Amino acid sequence: MSENTYVLEAHNISKTFPGVKALDRVSLSLKAGEVLALVGENGAGKSTLTKILSGIHQTDPDSGGIYFDGKEVDFRNSQDAKSHGLVTIYQELSLVRGLSVAENIFLGQLPRTKLGLIDWKELNRHAQEILNELGLEVAPDEMVGDLSISRQQMVEIARALSQGTKVIIFDEPTSSLTQTEKDILFRIIRSLQAKNVGVIYISHKMDEVFELSDRILVLRDGKNSGGLVTKDCNLSDVVHLMIGRALDEFFHKNKATKGKEMLRVEGLSKNGQFENISFAVRKGEVLGLYGLVGAGRSEVAETIFGARTHDAGDIYIDGEKVVIKDTKDAVSLGMGFVPEDRKAQGLVLKMSCLNNMSVAKLRWIKKAGCIDFVAEQAIFDEYKQKLSISTPGAHQEVSKLSGGNQQKIVIGKWMSLSPRVLILDEPTRGIDVGSKSQIHSLIAELAEEGIAVLVISSEMPEIMGVSDRIITMRAGRTSGSFEGDEITEENLIRAIAFVDAEAAS
Ligand SMILES: Nc1ncnc2c1ncn2[C@@H]1O[C@H](COP(=O)(O)OP(=O)(O)OP(=O)(O)O)[C@@H](O)[C@H]1O
Ligand SMILES: [Mg+2]
């Protein structure tokens, strides 16, 4: 056994869920001080492997063993794994919102005074030390519930660092981080590496994988598909192992003739969030809303859809001024919305895939007062195929799908409604590189069907690829509008970042 080189080894791990063989004799090894990227299509088994390594799931009986720090282990739960020095940072956070930052960092190991009381002074001092090390400007006594999602995630990392960790697994950690926060995270990962911590890094963002990792392990349909040394390979090597073919570079460009204005927003303002936002989207047009995370794009989109209130400004649908009090109003006006945070806003996790997909459409497919099950199934089948959703069946509970496949269900749900206006907020977050282009093509097809589409994205290639026209936002205001030849990387970067003009004024 190679105890001295590998901090973590897993041999022939299998995991069967009812109807799904999620992992089939998968093996993995990780050296101390190494960053191993774990990649694969949606549903390939990455999160399942993570959950097995950290004790949340148990392996099938015919599996081989897991060796941690040279000893065979059988972690019973995540706490057990943690106390041995293996920590996982999930995209779904596990903090206690009603406790302070410092309390969360030291949860379960709060320092005590001689009298057995919590030593607040020591607690806050030590927490501050860790926060400083991370370069995080968060006060130890701040309530976690008051922090943004990204800052909460940093607190989770701080918590992991407080515990003498030997291996940290990150499962898609950057999807809700700003660029600055991502830089901080990457710096932290490098310093972990320097401290001989082993890191497993799961991401669909290939630029991150190439920037961070020493080796890449690819899973495909629950099996080992291959391993690569990062510096000796390129993107197409990885993609080939992931999907067994070259990437579909071909962008289906929207060919629709643009019709009349379907959505118009005039002077939309909300104190402290965004100010004086005006734009219009025409029938058959894809308008991109581009900016940095935190620029106010999602707030604007949620306001249009009636999920937030505004202080001033008007919204017009199909030329008529409308009052949208809540999301129900928006839906009955013919709007659809694929939200950024699918877990909180897009899905009923305990319901089946089928029901989640058709819930918005039920009103349309009701026949004489009862649900038309045949029509419901047909919708599901159509979008399962169009979006290549991987699920053992229509009746699978949606919480049991992989993250990316959950996202596809939300997209399918709104696409199936053929709304007049469709807003998509970060539509390919968590979606694998192979499926991305399918979703881009579908967006173009929707526009060609005559839908006015508003797409929000933080990814430049995505926004440039799908949009006919792009509006940029910066710090709550629109900062530019680009069409045709004006859509260049340079113009976009200039428009979303604080540069020249700002500095001069
Ligand atoms: N608790 C569960 N019950 C039943 N099936 C599950 C459960 N968890 C995962 N699966 C299934 O196991 C397979 C692997 O899922 P997993 O979440 O590991 O994929 P992933 O590689 O993390 O994908 P993604 O990139 O979309 O997050 C999928 O088919 C998924 O539907
Ligand atoms: Mg996953």
Side-chain angles (χ1 to χ4, degrees), residues 365-383:
I365 59 179
K366 261 187 191 172
K367 245 195 206 163
C370 49
I371 297 171
D372 181 347
F373 291 108
V374 178
E376 192 183 24
Q377 182 71 44
I379 295 174
F380 178 78
D381 291 341
E382 179 185 343
Y383 284 91

Side-chain angles (χ1 to χ4, degrees), residues 15-18 20-23 39-51 57 91 171-172 202 204 219 222 342 390-392 396-397 399-406 430-432:
K15 178 68 186 173
T16 312
F17 294 113
V20 189
K21 184 128 200 177
L23 294 175
V39 303
E41 285 184 286
N42 296 130
K46 305 176 296 293
S47 296
T48 304
L49 182 57
T50 299
K51 286 177 184 159
H57 288 325
Q91 209 176 325
D171 194 347
E172 294 189 54
I202 299 177
H204 289 293
L219 294 186
R342 60 180 172 260
S390 134
T391 160
Q396 177 75 311
E397 199 180 292
S399 66
K400 306 245 161 92
L401 294 196
S402 78
N405 282 301
Q406 292 184 9
I431 300 271
D432 67 63

